[in-house]
Amino acid sequence: MPLLERDAELEVIEAAIDRGRSADGRLLIIEGPGGIGKSRLLDAAQAIAAEKDVEILATCGGELEREYPFGLVRRLLEARVLQATDSERVALFRGHAALAESLLEPAAARGESPLTDEFHLIHSLYWLVANLVDDTDLVLIADDLQWADELSLRFLLYLAQRLAELPITIIGAIRTGEPAAETELIERLLMQADHNLRPKELSADGAKRLFTALLPDAPGDGDLAEDSWTATRGNPFLLGQVVSALAAQVGESRQDLTRRISDLAPESVARSVMLRLGGLGGDAVTLARAVSVLGTSTSLINAAELAVLDFAAASAAADKLRAAQIFSDGQDLSFYHPIIRSAVYNRYPASERAAAHLRAAELIRAGGGATDHVAMHLMRGTPTTAEWARSALHEAARDAGRKGAPATAAGYLQRALLIPRADREQNAKLLVDLGLMEAAAGESTALAHLEAALELIEEPAQRDRAMYALGQTLFRYGRSAEARTVFRRGADAFADNPEVSLRYEAGFMASAAYLVDRASEAHSRAAKLTATFLEAPELSLSERLLALHFGVFGAMCTPGAQRHAELLLRALGDGVQLWRATSDGMTMSHAILALTWCGYGQEASDLGERLLVEARSRGDSLIFAEVSLARSLAMYSLGRVGDAMVDAQAAIIGMRRGWKSTVPAPQGVLAYCLVDRGELDEADEVLQDAHDRLRSGDTRTLNVWFYMARGRLRLARTEYQGALDDFLLVGSLLQANTFANPGYMLLPWRSHAGLAANALGQTGQARILIDRDVELSREFGLPSTLGACLRIRALTAEGGPDMELLSESVRILENPRASLLELAHTLCELGAAQRRSGQRVHSRETLRRALDLAHQCGAVALERRAHEELLASGARPRRAVLQGVNALTPSEHRIASLMAKGASTRNIAESLYLTMSTVEWHRRNIYRKLGVATREGLRDAMAEEDSA
């Protein structure tokens, strides 16, 4: 069929490919109803790309294949990877692309494997494509995207959002009018597209030209062409089907042909296809049905075997089907158009079709085909009790789990569960994997399946694996109460094996930490259990885990911060080796938090950095998010507002991948930082988003981060009653869990409540609240919190700020373990008080010091206030820094530090989960602010900051 009336679309396609070749990638989506010519435009795009010597990778979605995890992406990339030489393969899978190797070369992913994080697979595929275009330009073509699997669509969207740096053009086609085309991911892909082409129906003149080209010997003077155009509404495919049907009847009279056209209206095309198919003989019908079952594209050998035809008969039938434009040209068998395939498949009697799917599963399995292909046919096939089917579904589920598709995996396992088996051990393994996949997918049946598995499992190691993995999975996805139940059961079940039992006790402590009315019970239990070994010179792995949680609860609940911190540091070692030996990410993140609550922010930050490096190497973005949240608190406790923001944002990004264990804490910390920067509206937006994520029931204690942040925002806006209400609500939640540490929230909640109460004229209540904070801060031994409480008490003193208390606050906050931000706040208040009392000259030095510290911390609001106070004192302070290291934003500073250490743009992008173009954009800003033009100049500038 000639391509008519598509010049405008072809121009856009060629321009998009040219932009891609200049490393300014484009996403182009062609959308329209079936038969409008989308596939023809994709064919034309391939021809244009071939003329420009651009590498082309093309595939299409299949209506039966939407459950294959990364199915469309694999079809797009697998052949290219298989064609690569050994040296090319090393280059393709270098760096973060390594994780994609097991996805595209399934043999590398066999055996036991934990659930793989979806984001890391997508991120790895992105880097594989980035590596692929190091030496070539690329056009990726994907037809029928409405039938693509969810993970493939997520990858295409992820790649499309990062095309600006890559010599890639993505051209996809979506059939409108299909329910599958109305999903959120399809909508997001359409919104992301640089161009949306919507080809129109052919005009009457175009239809006539097409009619004449395809049927030059038709009788009449063009009326048949006009009748055909009217009947098909100008749809090119439907018009072609009408012409194909008429071609077989060209000897009939014009009147007969006109009547036939009315029978070939769009609603009757499927019937017309089946009539044409029936006219090709029984072998053709049988072969067409077999191909409709086998999927998008299949070999003649496989289709012949499924159709039970000998090769010669199948080959002859295939030739007939190609000539009739039911099959497309090509070595593999596929339908000329999805409409034809749907007509054949849907008119295949249901019982016979299901039996064909089961036979297809057997054939693909016998031929060594992909497990997900086998599983797809088993899911649609006649139910079977065959052992091989159960094994195939189980193996396909594990593959789906490795690809970050737990819901698909759970579906396979649920089907496998219907196939009975006498082997208790194998039944138990299936139930364990089903429980894990359901937990990851957020399904409530996970615990029931685990309980059923535990009744069957006799081998202790298998029982241990099942229970512990499920407990960690539930905790990671924010289901702490269920995780606690699992860990409690494990501790009791393995009571005769102390090392295993203690590991479960550690998990029990971790999951109980934020449960209302459960923390105190867990603390008491930990105290009894650790009393037997805490003073021993050497601790086992499980004893170290439990000792860490005892330290965590101590840090939250009982005075003696230094003692708790020393226990934590002793049990941790470097932290990484313990994590590698136990795979207990919960304990590691809690240890960072506990060190922070004890005032050991630098040690907590250092541990967080080591664990983040390890998380990156593991490809585990959920634990990366959890550790990022913990380190953000450590950074904030040190007064490093910018770094705390970066880490809090990393944790929030992790929420999109399923991490929920301590939400809404990251939003709370981010709001803290925004308030310190004076960005109150932005803080309000973050908290509005967090409001929808507030916890209910057993985990509502975590809401303290939301209420504390909102209280600070309200305080900054002089909404004193609302602020007081929020701070008191924080207190009630913490006290319900016996969290007595006044530094738990990094900011003393009672003292902040005292500020609000004092502003409302409730001076008695204010004094009681603040004095209790001072008392607790001394008992716990927390210089940052004590200094902050003394400052607030000084500010609420009768008759004005108490300069003696402010001076005491400065002395305490000059402790190396204290927060520089709190010191900056106290210096600013002291300097302001000195100025107002007439000590203008003396106040300038105090205020200059406050200004410098505020700038160093990234506390823009405080820096602005210190600047204003200096002006009022008669000084001429420097303007806000526009150049130099101090002018860098938190993200720029982190990137500059990595560049100074020799990291390449690619290394930085991979380690921070950015794109190369984003890193390059930051690099240009960094060079401008530092006044340098080379890496050497940047290293010198950063070295000067370190020496200062």
Side-chain angles (χ1 to χ4, degrees):
M1 290 175 60
L3 190 60
L4 301 173
E5 299 184 346
R6 298 292 184 255
D7 291 345
E9 288 85 352
L10 293 175
E11 287 180 9
V12 173
I13 290 170
E14 183 167 13
I17 292 174
D18 287 338
R19 293 292 293 270
R21 293 176 68 201
S22 62
D24 185 14
R26 287 290 183 270
L27 169 64
L28 192 155
I29 299 293
I30 307 169
E31 51 179 323
I36 203 64
K38 302 181 297 297
S39 298
R40 290 301 315 282
L41 285 171
L42 294 181
D43 291 341
Q46 290 201 53
I48 293 170
E51 289 178 0
K52 297 177 182 292
D53 198 28
V54 175
E55 183 167 1
I56 304 163
L57 299 179
T59 190
C60 63
E63 192 173 2
L64 301 183
E65 302 165 9
R66 296 180 64 197
E67 294 177 2
Y68 291 1
F70 291 107
L72 183 135
V73 169
R74 287 167 59 193
R75 289 195 299 275
L76 193 66
L77 300 175
E78 269 179 337
R80 177 63 181 83
V81 170
L82 290 174
Q83 293 168 5
T85 64
D86 290 344
S87 60
E88 286 176 329
R89 187 173 281 106
V90 170
L92 285 176
F93 290 113
R94 71 183 186 275
H96 269 270
L99 191 61
E101 187 170 9
S102 62
L103 178 66
L104 297 173
E105 296 185 357
R110 298 289 182 230
E112 297 290 335
S113 177
L115 181 71
T116 299
D117 174 29
E118 163 198 324
F119 169 77
H120 264 80
L121 282 170
I122 290 173
H123 190 64
S124 183
L125 285 166
Y126 161 79
W127 281 106
L128 170 64
V129 173
N131 293 341
L132 178 62
V133 296
D134 273 350
D135 302 313
T136 186
D137 303 328
L138 183 64
V139 170
L140 299 177
I141 293 178
D143 202 355
D144 285 323
L145 282 174
Q146 76 279 354
W147 290 330
D149 61 280
E150 179 180 340
L151 291 178
S152 291
L153 288 174
R154 290 189 184 281
F155 165 70
L156 289 175
L157 185 62
Y158 187 86
L159 178 60
Q161 291 167 340
R162 291 155 177 82
L163 282 179
E165 71 208 58
L166 298 171
I168 296 175
T169 304
I170 303 175
I171 307 176
I174 295 171
R175 185 197 292 191
T176 57
E178 292 271 347
E182 297 175 2
T183 65
E184 178 188 355
L185 284 173
I186 292 290
E187 287 297 323
R188 290 172 61 189
L189 203 60
L190 288 168
M191 291 174 63
Q192 184 66 36
D194 299 286
H195 302 283
N196 295 87
L197 298 183
R198 300 176 181 87
K200 297 179 180 179
E201 292 81 1
L202 296 180
S203 65
D205 182 61
K208 183 175 180 180
R209 290 162 58 198
L210 180 62
F211 193 96
T212 302
L214 296 179
L215 201 60
D217 299 327
D221 55 4
D223 290 341
L224 283 177
E226 185 171 348
D227 291 343
S228 299
W229 174 70
T230 301
T232 61
R233 302 180 181 89
N235 183 291
F237 170 75
L238 298 179
L239 184 58
Q241 291 298 298
V242 168
V243 174
S244 295
L246 293 179
Q249 311 294 330
V250 75
E252 293 186 6
S253 68
R254 176 174 171 248
Q255 290 76 12
D256 289 338
L257 290 175
T258 300
R259 284 195 300 272
R260 188 173 294 279
I261 289 172
S262 65
D263 292 336
L264 292 171
E267 294 78 7
S268 304
V269 165
R271 182 164 55 86
S272 170
V273 167
M274 297 308 296
L275 288 172
R276 285 195 291 127
L277 178 58
L280 300 178
D283 288 352
V285 173
T286 303
L287 186 65
R289 285 176 168 177
V291 174
S292 76
V293 164
L294 285 169
T296 306
S297 182
T298 187
S299 70
L300 179 59
I301 294 174
N302 286 346
E305 193 168 358
L306 182 59
V308 196
L309 295 173
D310 62 53
F311 187 80
S315 182
D319 288 341
K320 291 180 181 179
L321 289 161
R322 290 189 186 101
Q325 290 191 340
I326 290 176
F327 281 178
S328 61
D329 292 333
Q331 185 175 358
D332 285 342
L333 302 184
S334 59
F335 285 92
Y336 181 77
H337 196 278
I339 290 176
I340 298 177
R341 188 237 147 233
S342 295
V344 175
Y345 185 81
N346 292 329
R347 282 160 180 75
Y348 198 172
S351 60
E352 296 179 30
R353 187 174 66 203
H357 274 299
L358 180 58
R359 291 199 307 274
E362 295 180 83
L363 291 174
I364 294 170
R365 173 179 169 273
T371 57
D372 50 7
H373 287 202
V374 177
M376 183 275 288
H377 289 291
L378 287 172
M379 296 293 281
R380 291 172 172 78
T382 304
T384 177
T385 60
E387 173 58 31
W388 68 264
R390 179 184 169 111
S391 298
L393 287 165
H394 200 166
E395 185 177 352
R398 288 178 173 171
D399 281 347
R402 281 188 287 262
K403 294 164 189 166
T408 297
Y412 291 157
L413 291 167
Q414 287 161 359
R415 182 63 178 265
L417 200 60
L418 300 177
I419 302 174
R421 184 170 180 177
D423 189 326
R424 289 170 60 91
E425 182 179 347
Q426 291 302 318
N427 286 337
K429 287 181 178 179
L430 190 149
L431 285 166
V432 167
D433 286 342
L434 177 56
L436 290 174
M437 295 301 105
E438 287 176 329
E443 297 181 19
S444 60
T445 50
L447 277 176
H449 285 125
L450 175 72
E451 290 170 351
L454 293 176
E455 293 178 4
L456 301 174
I457 298 175
E458 297 178 358
E459 204 280 312
Q462 288 295 329
R463 289 176 65 83
D464 178 22
R465 182 186 80 88
M467 297 187 76
Y468 200 76
L470 184 67
Q472 286 217 332
T473 301
L474 289 167
F475 179 83
R476 176 177 281 186
Y477 284 86
R479 297 163 66 179
S480 298
E482 293 168 89
R484 176 181 175 275
T485 300
V486 171
F487 287 126
R488 174 75 271 129
R489 191 171 299 164
D492 294 340
F494 294 98
D496 58 346
N497 186 334
E499 185 66 8
V500 175
S501 181
L502 286 178
R503 185 158 52 91
Y504 279 95
E505 292 285 3
F508 175 80
M509 306 298 168
S511 52
Y514 304 115
L515 296 176
V516 175
D517 299 328
R518 299 297 184 184
S520 180
E521 170 198 344
H523 189 199
S524 300
R525 186 176 183 85
K528 293 177 182 177
L529 290 169
T530 56
T532 60
F533 60 77
L534 212 55
E535 300 303 324
E538 296 291 335
L539 302 179
S540 69
L541 289 175
S542 293
E543 287 172 342
R544 290 169 66 187
L545 292 176
L546 192 57
L548 284 169
H549 283 292
F550 182 62
V552 170
F553 279 95
M556 292 190 290
C557 303
T558 59
Q562 181 177 344
R563 174 168 49 88
H564 302 317
E566 288 172 352
L567 171 61
L568 289 163
L569 293 171
R570 176 191 169 211
L572 274 168
D574 74 346
V576 174
Q577 295 302 322
L578 181 60
W579 186 20
R580 289 174 179 170
T582 63
S583 296
D584 194 328
M586 299 181 300
T587 302
M588 297 300 105
S589 60
H590 279 191
I592 299 171
L593 294 172
L595 286 170
T596 301
W597 295 326
C598 290
Y600 283 62
Q602 190 58 57
E603 290 83 352
S605 173
D606 293 343
L607 174 60
E609 177 59 31
R610 292 194 296 272
L611 295 179
L612 287 174
V613 170
E614 180 74 6
R616 289 189 196 104
S617 68
R618 289 184 179 210
D620 191 336
S621 70
L622 297 185
I623 197 64
F624 185 90
E626 193 158 289
V627 175
S628 292
L629 181 274
R631 192 175 70 164
S632 73
L633 269 68
M635 291 296 188
Y636 192 86
S637 75
L638 295 171
R640 293 162 62 175
V641 173
D643 289 326
M645 279 187 71
V646 171
D647 282 333
Q649 287 167 333
I652 290 170
I653 290 170
M655 290 169 54
R656 302 172 194 163
R657 304 166 205 146
W659 173 76
K660 297 177 182 176
S661 59
T662 50
V663 173
Q667 288 90 344
V669 178
L670 180 57
Y672 276 19
C673 298
L674 290 168
V675 170
D676 287 320
R677 291 172 61 88
E679 298 171 7
L680 303 187
D681 290 343
E682 290 81 355
D684 198 5
E685 289 179 12
V686 169
L687 291 173
Q688 286 179 23
D689 176 68
H691 187 272
D692 296 332
R693 305 176 191 277
L694 290 180
R695 302 295 189 99
S696 59
D698 289 343
T699 57
R700 61 184 181 274
T701 300
L702 287 164
N703 294 338
V704 292
W705 295 99
F706 170 83
Y707 294 119
M708 190 71 190
R710 191 173 69 177
R712 286 198 69 204
L713 176 62
R714 286 174 166 175
L715 199 61
R717 288 177 164 174
T718 66
E719 299 169 6
Y720 298 120
Q721 186 59 57
L724 178 59
D725 293 342
D726 279 338
F727 294 136
L728 293 178
L729 183 52
V730 169
S732 66
L733 289 169
L734 292 178
Q735 289 170 329
N737 265 24
T738 68
F739 291 177
N741 186 332
Y744 179 86
M745 301 301 302
L746 309 182
L747 304 166
W749 68 265
R750 292 181 184 84
S751 296
H752 278 72
L755 269 177
N758 188 71
L760 292 167
Q762 302 170 19
T763 55
Q765 183 185 12
R767 176 56 60 87
I768 292 171
L769 288 164
I770 299 168
D771 285 351
R772 180 54 178 157
D773 255 351
V774 171
E775 180 183 358
L776 285 170
S777 298
R778 294 189 192 279
E779 290 178 4
F780 273 83
L782 302 173
S784 286
T785 311
L786 179 57
C789 295
L790 290 173
R791 178 182 69 248
I792 293 172
R793 190 162 77 176
L795 295 177
T796 56
E798 187 176 352
D802 185 326
M803 288 177 44
E804 184 176 339
L805 279 177
L806 287 172
S807 297
E808 183 183 354
S809 174
V810 169
R811 288 194 299 273
I812 290 170
L813 290 170
E814 285 174 333
N815 185 308
R817 292 203 175 279
S819 165
L820 293 179
L821 179 57
E822 295 293 358
L823 177 57
H825 274 293
T826 298
L827 287 168
C828 188
E829 297 295 350
L830 178 60
Q834 289 169 340
R835 178 186 64 78
R836 287 193 292 271
S837 68
Q839 304 175 45
R840 294 167 62 87
V841 175
H842 188 47
S843 72
R844 292 171 190 167
E845 181 57 33
T846 306
L847 290 168
R848 284 195 182 97
R849 191 178 171 202
L851 179 69
D852 288 340
L853 283 176
H855 185 81
Q856 182 179 336
C857 292
V860 178
L862 180 60
E863 182 182 6
R864 188 180 300 121
R865 180 166 176 237
H867 188 273
E868 291 169 355
E869 288 288 348
L870 271 169
L871 288 174
S873 74
R876 293 186 177 181
R878 57 171 171 76
R879 294 185 178 183
V881 178
L882 299 177
Q883 288 192 322
V885 173
N886 287 334
L888 300 179
T889 66
S891 296
E892 289 168 350
H893 195 283
R894 180 170 290 188
I895 291 170
S897 297
L898 291 171
M899 292 173 67
K901 294 175 183 177
S904 67
T905 296
R906 179 183 292 274
N907 294 149
I908 295 170
E910 289 182 338
S911 65
L912 300 182
Y913 302 105
L914 301 172
T915 66
M916 289 183 286
S917 62
T918 300
V919 175
E920 281 299 300
W921 181 80
H922 281 303
R923 181 189 63 78
R924 290 192 292 272
N925 286 338
I926 291 165
Y927 279 13
R928 174 179 56 79
K929 290 181 179 180
L930 298 183
V932 301
T934 64
R935 288 265 185 149
E936 290 74 17
L938 180 142
R939 276 193 288 270
D940 291 343
M942 299 301 289
E944 289 178 11
E945 181 204 31
D946 291 340
S947 62

